[in-house]
Amino acid sequence: MTTDNLPIALDFEEGIDRKTLRRLRDRFLVVNGQRWQRAHSALTYRQQAVLEVLPLVFHLNHPSLPGYLDRDCPYGLSHYQPSAPTLGAARRLARTFSLKDEGRRQPDLDALFLMGSPGTLGHSVTSDLDLWLCHRADLSDRGVRCLERKAERLAVWAASLGVELHVFVFSAADWQAGRQRAEVEGENCGSAQHYLLLDEFYRTGIHLGGQYPLWWLIPASKEWQYDECARQLIDCRFIKGDEYIDFGPVPAIPQAEFLGAGVWQLYKGIDAPWKSILKLLLIECYARDTGQPLLSSVFKASIYDGETHADRLDPYVLLYDRLERWLLSQEASGRLELVRRSLYLKAGLPLSRTEPGSGSWRVLLLRQLVDAWGWQPAQLKDLDNRQRWRAEDVMTLRRSIVSELTHSYRLLSRLAREHGSRAAISANDMNLLGRKLYAAFQRKAGKIEQVNPGLAPSLLEENLAFYHHSEQGGAAAQNGWLLYRDLEDPSDAFWKPVIRRGGNLTELMVWCYCNGLLSRSTRLNVRAGPTTASVAELREMLDALGALVRFPVEPASREALSRGVRPLRNLLFVNVGVDPQAQLTGRGLHKLSARHDSLGFSGGRDNLVSTIDQVTFNSWHEVSLQHYAAGDTLIQCLKNILASVAATPSSLPEVMVHSHNTGHGAAIARRVQELFADVMRHFFAGGVGPHPLRYVIEMDRRYFLLQFSGAEPGFVALENVAALMDQLARPQERYLPVVLDRGALLDNLPLRTVCHASEPGSVQVFYRVTGPLATLWVVDELGAVFSWEQAFSSRRYLLVPLLRFLENLVERRQLRQLDDFVGSAGIRCYELARHDGEWQAERRFDEDASAALPGLEVQAVGVQEGDSHLRFDIFCGDQEFTVQEYGDQLISAVAHYLRSIRQPGENYPVYLTDVHLPHDLDPQVYQQDIQTTQYLYYRAALEESLNRQLSG
């Protein structure tokens, strides 16, 4: 053992030798130099220039050097003298560069460090460079911002050479005070960790220039007296204070910090698991095995003891040794195997393709570890051929990774309960990281699981076969689908392994697309069973999925995760593997009518939408699938999409529809897309809603009425027009206009015109005369629609009784509301007329509406008797007919009286001029204001009973 390798012991009580301190510093610099050379050798020739000139570009503010911003940008690296190779590299970048003497000026920058995996076993071609640029504590905010902008320019330059560079700008004073600016984004760890990051920095950091870490000179055994020892070194002038930078000690990791740091590693582990698994296990080891020193202390103690060989001090080797001892003590051999696999894959060195005894230092070091683990060549070959891994291999490995990450999450959850109030992570960061974990790993109904979070370069298959389950012998009753690879001969299905089983074809297609098994280059084979699925249909589905979401599915941004989840795009696959016209073609019905509406096709008004597969891509970048195959599939799908939109109506999701192009596929897709667009436009016009309205859809000879109750959409199915009119006449709590879909009631255009002309706050009367009959519609103050037909003799006899009746209702309502009367549009009358093929509602001003008609004033007054049905007392002029007196014979008595006062041969209908309804019309509810259509309903019922008796 040479003198340089003898243990160094510093005795702060007896006195410290300056020469020994310099020898100790130089010993750290020896290790530092080895690491720099290793980091440098891992880069390509062009990339090496980045590492070579980094200290110089910050030491000088030279316009010829990369990253130059302006002449006022802070510069000057404390005690830095560029080496000849550095100056040579600068001249290769800029031939006009020359070093000028700046004279004596206070440097703005204290130190520059490279930290993380460079120069270690864990460094790979995909590793980035993380720089700590430390400025003096009194630098102005403007100067700091200028340095940050320069760092951004430098990162762009490095990227042009293939190097991903991240520069973190702060001062040592900011670090010790916890004031470094960071949030959970990119490479920053947010508020998640402080001491853990410092522990990593001390054992991985490479000094590039400027002041040396003061931590080097404080023995590991004195970490608990760090501040006292540091003051003694400086105050007693054993060292020059301006030659060392002080980030503070790492005596132990506070328990509360494990939570934030662990969640941060889980955040990164979603997309790059190997490194995160190692760090998560280290965090757990630190949290549970508190009696052992931190790795930074092990690293420092080893150098004090004389160890300077970079292999034995490699941070990843130290990390593995610590985890191996701990996991063996826990008898956790399965977790230890995952650690070994993670370290091997993080290193990224294919040992099975490297000759023994040859290769770089990383190859030799990794082979020593693998030999010690007892791995067989077949295991190495499997890990080295990740590009050939199949979906089954990845799914097996993913389960073990998710199991480990779930284990870590449960540990962190327990820490959160114990130390939540003191956890070193902000509530906002915790929420963001939790949301990303939820989006990546949470299983829920319909969610498409992404099985390859960076485990294999690609899962793309050359050949895929989709087999209907009935193609397997004896399984005719089963409707599921099976996914195979390389299945040219159907008989091979009996012995070939199944990649995946799915309840329907779309589920398998979406899973294949989102996990990268399927592309346009993949050869497809379909055994459709009783379905009509074909290769052509699958190709079309693949193109539609490509328009929905690009593969690979990128993780959601921080901004998206900071807001609630909402749907971004919906893709509706209509009739996958289904011919909706099969039955129609068999019956020849497709030729019986000119109706081409896909929701009411041909003479039978058949709905051509049989099944729907709804694929949703949301703002947290989750992909989900919902299958509708039973009942009113289209209405169910529409209702669910409306429910998802109601939470965030300001951002309506895009709805795309695809139906296979055979037959009427394109027309079906277009009609469904129009329907969804129309419905969302009406309910959420102006980016707000849901608006109060009732939307009517005609489909399959039936009608569906959609409306919201609060934020919840619902629908009522109605078998015919009569049921629809009964529903439209029902009382409402507020004004609800009736909106008809573009394909609804096309054979009842007058009703469409009535609904379109509806206005709030008034009672509107519409009528249409057709020979001896008149059809009347009344749209009341809350949008309810009441309709009936009656004989027509003249406009006067048609309208005057009705308008008189309505005026009485409006007058009474205004009198009751006199204290807060705000005015009313009153009663408006319209006649429906057809001009140039278009129906219009033309306003009619009936001057003689108030004129008296011959005959009696007939009034009815409702009587509610407990829970029994409503009965009426009827008044014919001065003659009174009460329920109490006549009971069930009341209508007969009134009819007998009316016949007795008419002239012989007179047989005209009777019209009620007024109806009074009790406010407890519903025994369970007191109605302050009863709607006009309710009065019209009872008026019509009484008139029908009376006229039936009169004509009998």
Side-chain angles (χ1 to χ4, degrees), residues 771-787:
L773 283 179
T775 306
L776 294 101
W777 299 267
V778 174
V779 181
D780 74 6
E781 63 282 357
L782 295 185
V785 182
F786 190 81
S787 177

Side-chain angles (χ1 to χ4, degrees), residues 432 435 556-565 619-621:
L432 284 174
R435 284 180 172 184
S557 67
R558 180 180 187 274
E559 182 182 3
L561 292 171
S562 67
R563 297 193 297 265
V565 65
S619 59
W620 290 1
H621 290 199

Side-chain angles (χ1 to χ4, degrees), residues 586-624:
R587 304 199 309 266
L589 295 181
H590 64 295
K591 301 178 181 178
L592 299 181
S593 172
R595 287 185 61 95
H596 298 294
D597 185 356
S598 301
L599 307 186
F601 185 77
S602 186
R605 307 291 178 87
D606 292 277
N607 172 23
L608 297 186
V609 177
S610 178
T611 68
I612 295 180
D613 292 286
Q614 175 190 338
V615 187
T616 301
F617 178 62
N618 68 28
S619 59
W620 290 1
H621 290 199
E622 297 172 295
V623 179
S624 60

Side-chain angles (χ1 to χ4, degrees), residues 791-803:
F792 175 78
S793 58
S794 70
R795 288 179 64 248
R796 184 164 179 252
Y797 279 93
L798 176 69
L799 297 176
V800 170
L802 174 61
L803 295 176

Side-chain angles (χ1 to χ4, degrees), residues 46-47 50 154-164:
R46 293 180 69 238
Q47 292 171 341
V50 177
L154 198 61
V156 173
W157 168 73
S160 70
L161 299 177
V163 176
E164 186 177 349

Side-chain angles (χ1 to χ4, degrees), residues 121-160:
L121 177 62
H123 184 78
S124 67
V125 293
T126 60
S127 297
D128 49 15
L129 301 183
D130 289 343
L131 282 185
W132 281 20
L133 177 62
C134 304
H135 58 79
R136 55 187 173 89
D138 59 349
L139 192 64
S140 68
D141 288 342
R142 181 183 179 280
V144 173
R145 288 192 295 271
C146 191
L147 283 174
E148 290 172 341
R149 291 197 301 273
K150 180 173 182 175
E152 291 171 359
R153 287 197 172 191
L154 198 61
V156 173
W157 168 73
S160 70

Side-chain angles (χ1 to χ4, degrees), residues 870-908:
L870 184 66
R871 298 192 176 193
F872 288 90
D873 295 336
I874 297 179
F875 299 84
C876 299
D878 296 329
Q879 189 68 33
E880 179 180 355
F881 298 86
T882 65
V883 171
Q884 187 174 8
E885 179 178 357
Y886 292 96
D888 292 339
Q889 301 301 312
L890 184 139
I891 296 298
S892 298
V894 173
H896 177 76
Y897 172 75
L898 292 175
R899 277 195 298 266
S900 70
I901 63 174
R902 287 183 175 181
Q903 297 297 322
E906 290 183 336
N907 190 23
Y908 51 86

Side-chain angles (χ1 to χ4, degrees), residues 39-59:
H40 184 263
S41 64
L43 302 174
T44 66
Y45 177 75
R46 293 180 69 238
Q47 292 171 341
Q48 288 173 351
V50 177
L51 192 57
E52 290 167 348
V53 302
L54 277 175
L56 187 63
V57 297
F58 287 111
H59 180 62

